[in-house]
Amino acid sequence: MEKKLVAGYDIQKNKVQLSFYIEDREDAESVSPLASQIDYEIPCLVAKTEQGWVVGEEALTAQFEQTGIVVDQLILRVLHQEMEVLDGYSAEELLEIFLRETLLFIPGVEMIGREVDAVAISLWEQNGLLLDVLFRCLMRLGIKENCIFAMSEQESAACYALSRPKELWKQDVLFFDFSQEHFIMKKLHRNQKAEKIILEMEEIDYSELFPISLLESEEGRQQADQSFLELLMQQIVRPPVSCVYLIGEGFCQKENWAVRTFKYLCSRKRVFLGMNLYTKGASLSAFDHITGRLMDSVTMRMKGCISVSIGICVFYREEKKLLNLVKEGKYWYHAKAQIEGILDEITELSFVITRQGVLGKLEYRLPLSEFPYREPRMTRVEVSLSFLSEEEAILQATDLGFGQYAESSGTVIQKKLKVEELLSGIVEKEEPEATGRFLLCGSKRSRYPFEIEESRQALYSIDELCYFLYHNNYLLEETFFSQKLMDFIRNNLEMNLLADKLEYAKKKKAPLGELITIVMESTGYYRGVEWKRMKEKLAYFGTQSREERLKLLGDMYLTERQYVQARNQYQLLLKLEAASGESREFFGMVYHNIGVLYMELFYFEEASEFLKQAYEYMPQDEILKKLLLTLQMAGMEVDYTEWKKKTKKEQVIQWEREWQKQEEEAIQDDRNYLAAEALSCRRQGKLGQFEEYAKKQLQEWMEEYRYEMEG
């Protein structure tokens, strides 16, 4: 296998430094485009010449020799978002060219996207706009987004220190950064009491005490030497210091001015002198990020890193869990998370804020009152957390609906959180738990749905599939679990383990109930009482034939006045009658139920035909009673006279009295007014009025059904 190669940038306002690290080497190396260059600085310049694009010192040469058009202040132009800079190129496009040409300075690199595995960027200040541009440029050059990392100078300095042998960072580490602009001391401290490695960085600006102009005279150099010696003597004793890093041109390029200080320092501590610590630290950090060697176990408390951990309370398979969204010590630009969950009788989301070494926690609750009301588990929510800086976060909840069952309202709830305020709110006392549950989604949402041809339904997630199975298990056949469904689960939902289990179960010819159970147990959408009821139904339906399941489904539709669906199931059953092994009594009940269906629709002639067939299969008085009623309502006097002979005269008289009484009660009941009027008109032979009332009654029932379905 080829060894990994990573790169690290130290980006300043007008210049950059670039280093690279190859796996198994002792240290990172910095790029110096010119053999005579020892400060490794590459000016942020790009020039277009007849030979092509050039950057850095070559761009300066092209400007001096007037052989190309030079663009300077490249970083500033990017921050100003200049769109027309040179020959139609925007500032961002020119920065991409600059990055491409500098990465090609790395020995052996010819194709960036194939040969550079990761890139880290150390910035002199925290600027989200500049980082966005840098990330886009590097991604267009072929670097994957999850292989690009950002950090502050403090973090890159700490990363370099931690890459050295442990004895060099077991105690505090000092960094002195001396440039034309500043003299800054950074002190890296390891919290020895913490179980995990916690690194804190203190930074003090001594620029007024050490202006670089002080080194222009002998008197000034002596003064600076004495002041630096006094500062060091204060810092390296308590707490003890492992080593000292001296960074920048003030130490490396100016005349040797700190004679006494260096003599004192080198006799007591390990000292490292160089211009390129930040860029080397960045490249070593990039390698650690993609290999996960050390930094995963370290918490950074320094500039640019967030100072709290934020988690969200979720339920997964009946168990309450705290799902960590962002970890304390993460660089703010990378501190982001996005999850999806389902609301189960919950009106607010609960977030927990903690900090290592601090007792107690803060529970922050985000109200969801702006979301539309839906039945439990019919609202999928996307929760996202991101940071605008190390001090300010954006928390957002978006209503995603529930596939075709509940369309998204588009509602977005967004809150800005100040980290300082969250820290001040951490207390030991816990608030009462919020009611309801936020269920972690069982799978991602597919961009393209799985379409069920029979019901014309489209499913986008495993949770929607569970909902469908729960409400339609009595309708399904083993063929529902087709290879097409397996592929959807594997490729679209990315649930390889579930697809493997289903394919294995299909291969061993598992019953339908087992296949449904495998899917239902892959997620926590149904649990507790509902899951117990579901398993009982599966056990029951598993013993039923196809004909019995179809009848049960038709009976359910009939009870719920879903007449079209009920008729479809019964008609399908009748097509199976000739080849079925079910008894005459079974199909007699099917004919009976179709007759009842048509009775409720006022189609009495049609109802009578099915009830006649039912009576032939099952000669029972209850069926005969319904048949005589339909014949009477249809005005079929001849048939009525003939069929009433099949029972005693006294029985018919009793039924007729019951019908009369029921009609009178129905007229008095406002809920049955339309149906009663329709029956009365039909009995009187007023067929026109009968049809009018019947249509109104049917319309009312359909509206009730539609309302129930939408609810």
Side-chain angles (χ1 to χ4, degrees), residues 37-48:
Q37 191 174 1
I38 60 171
D39 59 6
Y40 307 109
E41 292 179 347
I42 306 173
C44 290
L45 303 173
V46 61
K48 188 177 184 182

Side-chain angles (χ1 to χ4, degrees), residues 547 550-551 569-577 587:
E547 291 90 336
L550 287 172
K551 181 178 179 298
Q569 300 309 313
Y570 291 141
Q571 287 180 340
L572 180 57
L573 262 172
L574 296 182
K575 290 179 181 178
L576 301 175
E577 181 180 3
F587 282 99

